[in-house]
Amino acid sequence: MSSVLLSVGELASSMQQKPITLLRALMDDPVSNTPDTRKAMVLPASVDFDLDSEGSDHTTGFPHSMPSADDLAIYLGNQGVTANTPIVVYDTRGIYTAPRVWWMLKALGHSDVYLLNGGQPAWKNAGLPVSEQQQYGKLTYQATPRPGWFSNSSAVLQALNTDAQLVDARSTARFKGEISEPRKGVRAGHMPGAFNVPFDTLLKNGHFLPVSELKNVFQGARIDLRKPIICTCGSGVTACIIGVAALMCGATQVSVYDGSWSEWGAGTHYPVVTDE
């Protein structure tokens, strides 16, 4: 398993060859408030990673902040996850929340982690077996945090005056400020100089586009994959879809702004522009 992505066939084959921990990434839709399908049957031997619960740090005042390395390690250990087991992350929608959990695990130092392309829908469509949620005993997760995966607001402010590119995963209407933000007290618009790549333009039928097509999307948005990229969105979740796609296309300096627009749009000292 050398790529970021695994097909359902590759995962099914790998599961027969060695132990693999499957993490189901969960999160209610923050825009439509549609609940995730938490009670649905899951892939065999799966445990849940809930971004609306202990999978995020809710003390920051923002919806989906990265927990401290210690807190995240405790959560993973309590779910029965260890640092020395291969992990495949998937979600119930295809590709939506799983890239965020993948990104968090990479930041925690977990090198052997992958994404199931197409997620649970692709697994079911292939006629592969599903089961009830697995309950593992509590284990110890040894974190080895790695810098560079996440950026804070200070880094974004500094990037405004460099050749780093801010890439926003929100819809074009939200990016341009044509519609109100779904979160109360958050201004409409975007960061000065930001580029807009709506996350769904990188996907088709719940799968990532092929790399050649991903490169075309970035090129069409005037993104230079050789330059540093900071990905942002509403709350730091779909930004990770852009981050993963950029890495797949060969970008090497990619980070995710953890506070994203829920922090930037709410802070009146941060500059905001709209496209009239």
Side-chain angles (χ1 to χ4, degrees), residues 19 24 33 69 73 75 91 107 111 119 139 151 159 183 185 207 224 240 251 264:
R24 182 175 68 153
N33 294 318
Y75 179 50
D91 62 55
S111 57
L139 300 171
S151 294
R183 295 181 179 88
H207 294 69
D224 188 342
C240 298
W264 194 275

Side-chain angles (χ1 to χ4, degrees), residues 99-252:
R100 168 71 185 192
V101 177
W102 182 91
W103 204 269
M104 294 167 71
L105 288 166
K106 298 296 284 188
L108 204 62
H110 202 111
S111 57
D112 211 6
V113 56
Y114 309 90
L115 285 168
L116 179 61
N117 203 15
Q120 187 163 321
W123 183 272
K124 287 183 177 179
N125 290 339
L128 293 163
V130 294
S131 66
E132 295 183 358
Q133 181 186 351
Q134 185 81 18
Q135 296 292 336
Y136 284 106
K138 293 184 178 181
L139 300 171
T140 298
Y141 187 100
Q142 189 67 42
T144 53
R146 295 175 181 170
W149 288 91
F150 284 100
S151 294
N152 59 21
S153 57
S154 297
V156 176
L157 279 170
Q158 292 176 2
L160 295 179
N161 300 312
T162 70
D163 65 350
Q165 302 156 106
L166 302 174
V167 186
D168 194 321
R170 294 175 301 152
S171 68
T172 300
R174 288 177 67 188
F175 178 83
K176 290 183 176 181
E178 295 172 345
I179 59 176
S180 299
E181 281 294 301
R183 295 181 179 88
K184 186 177 180 180
V186 176
R187 296 169 293 169
H190 60 265
M191 300 156 190
F195 298 87
N196 187 208
V197 179
F199 74 89
D200 56 4
T201 62
L202 302 168
L203 307 173
K204 184 177 181 180
N205 299 326
H207 294 69
F208 274 103
L209 294 173
V211 170
S212 60
E213 295 181 30
L214 291 175
K215 289 181 177 179
N216 288 338
V217 174
F218 285 121
Q219 184 177 8
R222 296 180 289 117
I223 308 298
D224 188 342
L225 295 169
R226 298 168 297 180
K227 295 180 179 180
I229 292 172
I230 300 177
C231 309
T232 181
C233 61
S235 66
V237 176
T238 57
C240 298
I241 295 175
I242 291 180
V244 169
L247 292 177
M248 289 168 56
C249 291
T252 58

Side-chain angles (χ1 to χ4, degrees), residues 7 10 17-18 21 30 59 62 75 87 101 138 154 192 210 217 221 236:
S7 68
E10 289 170 331
Q17 299 170 17
K18 60 181 178 180
T21 298
T59 67
F62 307 118
Y75 179 50
I87 294 177
V101 177
K138 293 184 178 181
S154 297
V217 174

Side-chain angles (χ1 to χ4, degrees), residues 1 15 17 29 94-95 98 105 144 205 231 263 274 276:
M1 301 193 296
M15 289 172 66
Q17 299 170 17
D29 190 309
I95 292 291
L105 288 166
T144 53
N205 299 326
C231 309
E263 177 181 28
T274 57
E276 297 296 341

Side-chain angles (χ1 to χ4, degrees), residues 51 55-68 100 104 235 258-259 262:
L51 289 164
S56 299
D57 179 2
H58 303 287
T59 67
T60 64
F62 307 118
H64 301 112
S65 298
M66 175 72 170
S68 70
R100 168 71 185 192
M104 294 167 71
S235 66
D258 198 34
S262 59

